[in-house]
Amino acid sequence: MDKIVVNKLDLFYGDQQALNNIGIAMKERSVTALIGPSGCGKSTFLRTLNRMQDLIPSVKIMGQVKIDGQDIYAAGTDVVLLRKKVGMVFQNPNPFPKSVFENVAYGPRIHGETDKKKLSEIVETSLKDAALWNEVKDRLHESALGLSGGQQQRLCIARLLAVGPEILLMDEPTSALDPISTMKIEELISELKDKYTIIIVTHNMHQASRVSDRTAFFLSGDLIEEDVTSVLFTRPAKKKTEDYISGRFG
Amino acid sequence: MKAHQADRFATIMLWIGSLAIVAILIAFLTLILGRGLPHLTSEFFNGPDGVRGQLFNSFYILFLSLVLSLPVGLGAGIYMAEYAPKNKFTDLIRLSTESLASVPSIVFGLFGMIVFVNMFGLGFTILGGSATLALLNLPILVRVTEESLRAVPRSYREASLALGATMWQTLRKVILPTALPGLITGITLVAGRALGETAILIFTAGMNVSRIPFDVNPLAAGETLAVHLFAVKSNPLPGTNADQIADGTAALLIIMVIVFNICLTLPSRWLQRRQLGRNKV
Ligand SMILES: Nc1ncnc2c1ncn2[C@@H]1O[C@H](COP(=O)(O)OP(=O)(O)O)[C@@H](O)[C@H]1O
Ligand SMILES: [Mg+2]
């Protein structure tokens, strides 16, 4: 079943068009990779899916983004509920300057959970799901800023899982990390896709082929091609895609 | 080799600079406290020329001026940092606050006198003094608040909003706690000014002390310690130990400021630590 359907999506920064007529659908419990050269609009597109991009004052968005059949840009959309459902992991790990526990408990708390026992359970489950529990279970009340970069990124994933999302948006989640941490996050993504619909931006084509089911190639605001990952990388339909994946530019 | 020498030289200069600050501070404290502390007897506070009233007035005016300025100053600063759109109008507000922040305090004093003492016909009052002090401190509070909030990384806001938090929740639970040390510095700064200000208060709160001990009537005149120090030194009453009173008052002022800073800093450290979790890096 299609979890996300995007139709004729245009996005402008002021007069500058950053996304042209994007149309794409993403299946439930699948991993879609977004690839393309820097500045082609991958992050912009990703951030239209949880309406983070329309926080920027000059942004104009046209077209449709449907999640579970609901147009998220329709008037009366509850952005809080949307962002609970569509969570995001950022390029640079950005834990709050709080303890490990408080980072994970943050989401449930703002959504009204006050029961201490419940919160502890959520924190434990989320940290386990983010494959971080064993490394932090003895330092839950120490500052999250003391963790390594890779641990911080998994903490951010745990923090996200704690609010019970259905879709995970990841914007180059490993680009600031070392190879071992990258591998751990990639393993984590393969586990998470049993439960979540995942969209991951990556500039690393090997990563795209390792973790994703389908891949979408963006170029200067256009969605050039979208296909099953192995097909896109071995038999691309478009010349531009072929040029990009064979390393002729970008 | 050259870079290495320059580095050493710079390090030494910076070290000398810091050392000089510490030395000046120590000299200053020993001199003022050394001269003043011996006079801080019970007589000094409660005697016929005692400063109990002035001491009380200092804190009362400080308190009232903070009550008047903190909500507005913090509110405006938060608005400017988080909510205000970036346009000509907000640029103008920013420019005005900046200009106001550098207006000499005696000009504010004159303004307060015209408005509160004359136009409202209150005469010299604690209320008028506190309100004028609040006006003096408002621009600084707005600026410090705005700057402390802007120093909080954008990524914290994004993380919080992306988890479905509202702007208000993000502000309360992430931005303000992170900006707290900066805010505390700002409050300490304006409080220090309130405790030390003379020009403004002479024009608005006057140089008299209520005969009633701990008089909380905001419409009474209220000489503060700093004003008292100025009065005693500039116009010594015959037959009083003006110099001793002045020395004692100066020492008392210093102690007040130190105590006030500690009272503000320690709880904020504690809050910060609780926020950050143990073993903050
Ligand atoms: N906040 C913004 N304001 C104006 N232009 C922006 C903003 N963010 C991104 N852009 C522009 O939109 C284009 C796409 O950017 P982005 O989505 O960040 O690309 P990518 O993530 O693929 O590197 C770029 O040309 C960039 O300069
Ligand atoms: Mg990007």
Side-chain angles (χ1 to χ4, degrees):
Chain A
M1 211 196 92
D2 285 339
K3 186 80 176 164
I4 305 173
V5 180
V6 178
N7 210 348
K8 295 194 176 130
L9 180 73
D10 290 315
L11 184 143
F12 295 83
Y13 291 110
D15 309 326
Q16 189 92 8
Q17 185 155 12
L19 294 176
N20 302 313
N21 196 17
I22 306 292
I24 189 173
M26 288 135 180
K27 291 225 168 347
E28 192 165 7
R29 300 197 174 89
S30 68
V31 180
T32 305
L34 309 182
I35 61 167
S38 176
C40 68
K42 305 179 297 289
S43 299
T44 302
F45 174 68
L46 196 70
R47 294 161 60 100
T48 57
L49 301 180
N50 64 346
R51 293 196 50 177
M52 284 296 279
Q53 211 57 5
D54 53 331
L55 290 176
I56 301 170
S58 65
V59 164
K60 270 202 307 286
I61 296 173
M62 277 156 297
Q64 250 185 357
V65 178
K66 282 192 174 174
I67 293 180
D68 292 330
Q70 301 269 340
D71 185 355
I72 62 170
Y73 284 95
T77 302
D78 185 340
V79 182
V80 167
L81 285 183
L82 172 71
R83 296 202 183 125
K84 243 180 108 173
K85 184 152 139 184
V86 187
M88 181 156 213
V89 179
F90 298 82
Q91 183 167 358
N92 291 302
N94 56 356
F96 299 125
K98 298 174 186 282
S99 69
V100 171
F101 184 95
E102 285 304 323
N103 263 280
V104 185
Y106 182 84
R109 275 196 212 280
I110 57 167
H111 294 299
E113 185 58 69
T114 50
D115 187 275
K116 281 248 159 69
K117 217 174 126 245
K118 268 254 187 65
L119 282 171
S120 298
E121 282 168 21
I122 296 176
V123 169
E124 183 172 342
T125 325
S126 307
L127 285 169
K128 280 179 175 159
D129 287 349
L132 187 61
W133 174 253
N134 285 331
E135 291 161 61
V136 299
K137 63 174 188 279
D138 300 321
R139 47 198 291 199
L140 288 178
H141 298 286
E142 292 175 21
S143 171
L145 303 183
L147 300 179
S148 74
Q151 289 173 326
Q152 288 190 8
Q153 195 61 301
R154 276 177 286 148
L155 178 66
C156 292
I157 295 175
R159 178 175 71 184
L160 174 57
L161 299 183
V163 300
E166 295 167 20
I167 298 170
L168 310 182
L169 310 176
M170 302 187 170
D171 194 350
E172 304 195 25
T174 63
S175 67
L177 304 182
D178 61 272
I180 301 214
S181 304
T182 300
M183 201 181 73
K184 284 189 182 162
I185 302 252
E186 286 182 10
E187 283 169 6
L188 179 57
I189 292 171
S190 330
E191 277 166 37
L192 291 174
K193 80 170 179 190
D194 295 340
K195 283 201 225 159
Y196 303 94
T197 307
I198 299 174
I199 303 163
I200 177 171
V201 172
T202 175
H203 59 250
N204 180 334
M205 283 184 270
H206 296 290
Q207 180 168 70
S209 56
R210 280 193 299 265
V211 301
S212 70
D213 304 311
R214 297 181 75 89
T215 297
F217 171 56
F218 281 74
L219 188 63
S220 26
D222 294 311
L223 172 58
I224 302 293
E225 181 172 358
E226 191 264 345
D227 210 329
V228 173
T229 298
S230 56
V231 174
L232 188 121
F233 280 117
T234 51
R235 283 168 279 125
K238 300 272 168 61
K239 176 83 168 56
K240 284 175 180 165
T241 316
E242 194 185 335
D243 286 349
Y244 181 69
I245 58 178
S246 58
R248 249 165 271 171
F249 71 91
Chain B
M1 199 58 215
K2 237 179 142 185
H4 184 69
Q5 276 169 350
D7 183 54
R8 275 194 59 146
F9 180 71
T11 312
I12 292 172
M13 290 312 282
L14 296 174
W15 185 76
I16 290 176
S18 330
L19 203 68
I21 296 279
V22 175
I24 292 170
L25 191 68
I26 290 174
F28 172 77
L29 284 179
T30 23
L31 188 75
I32 299 286
L33 292 180
R35 283 172 62 128
L37 278 183
H39 304 305
L40 297 185
T41 56
S42 154
E43 171 81 4
F44 177 78
F45 292 97
N46 299 315
D49 300 319
V51 299
R52 184 183 60 192
Q54 285 87 347
L55 182 60
F56 172 76
N57 287 342
S58 284
F59 279 104
Y60 191 36
I61 287 183
L62 167 65
F63 170 75
L64 280 184
S65 74
L66 286 182
V67 166
L68 293 174
S69 60
L70 280 185
V72 184
L74 292 181
I78 291 171
Y79 177 78
M80 294 296 290
E82 302 295 331
Y83 293 90
K86 173 136 187 52
N87 56 30
K88 289 250 158 57
F89 180 64
T90 48
D91 282 346
L92 184 70
I93 297 182
R94 208 161 280 130
L95 187 70
S96 327
T97 5
E98 248 160 64
S99 328
L100 275 179
S102 50
V103 170
S105 64
I106 195 152
V107 177
F108 271 99
L110 195 67
F111 174 79
M113 181 147 107
I114 294 169
V115 173
F116 298 105
V117 179
N118 300 333
M119 272 167 63
F120 290 179
L122 295 176
F124 293 132
T125 59
I126 287 180
L127 184 63
S130 308
T132 315
L133 260 184
L135 285 180
L136 172 78
N137 284 332
L138 215 46
I140 298 181
L141 274 176
V142 176
R143 270 191 59 179
V144 172
T145 307
E146 185 180 351
E147 270 161 32
S148 318
L149 263 58
R150 281 192 191 282
V152 175
R154 232 174 77 93
S155 64
Y156 293 174
R157 295 177 175 81
E158 288 202 316
S160 173
L161 293 173
L163 288 167
T166 60
M167 191 57 219
W168 177 236
Q169 286 171 324
T170 305
L171 189 63
R172 252 179 37 232
K173 305 204 166 198
V174 180
I175 302 178
L176 285 179
T178 312
L180 192 65
L183 296 179
I184 295 289
T185 308
I187 297 173
T188 318
L189 206 73
V190 299
R193 269 177 91 171
L195 288 176
E197 191 53 52
T198 50
I200 277 193
L201 293 173
I202 292 171
F203 285 178
T204 52
M207 303 174 80
N208 285 308
V209 179
S210 171
R211 251 183 283 277
I212 309 164
F214 308 116
D215 189 355
V216 291
N217 176 8
L219 295 179
E223 187 190 45
T224 64
L225 270 185
V227 173
H228 186 59
L229 174 59
F230 171 77
V232 170
K233 251 333 209 195
S234 60
N235 195 6
L237 286 176
T240 56
N241 294 326
D243 283 342
Q244 290 184 12
I245 295 178
D247 288 345
T249 308
L252 188 57
L253 260 173
I254 302 267
I255 294 171
M256 267 164 50
V257 171
I258 293 175
V259 167
F260 188 81
N261 284 3
I262 292 174
C263 285
L264 221 52
T265 312
L266 286 186
S268 107
R269 285 263 170 82
W270 176 80
L271 260 176
Q272 189 84 22
R273 186 148 320 146
R274 223 185 53 158
Q275 265 286 315
L276 265 174
R278 268 180 281 126
N279 300 347
K280 107 182 209 320
V281 278

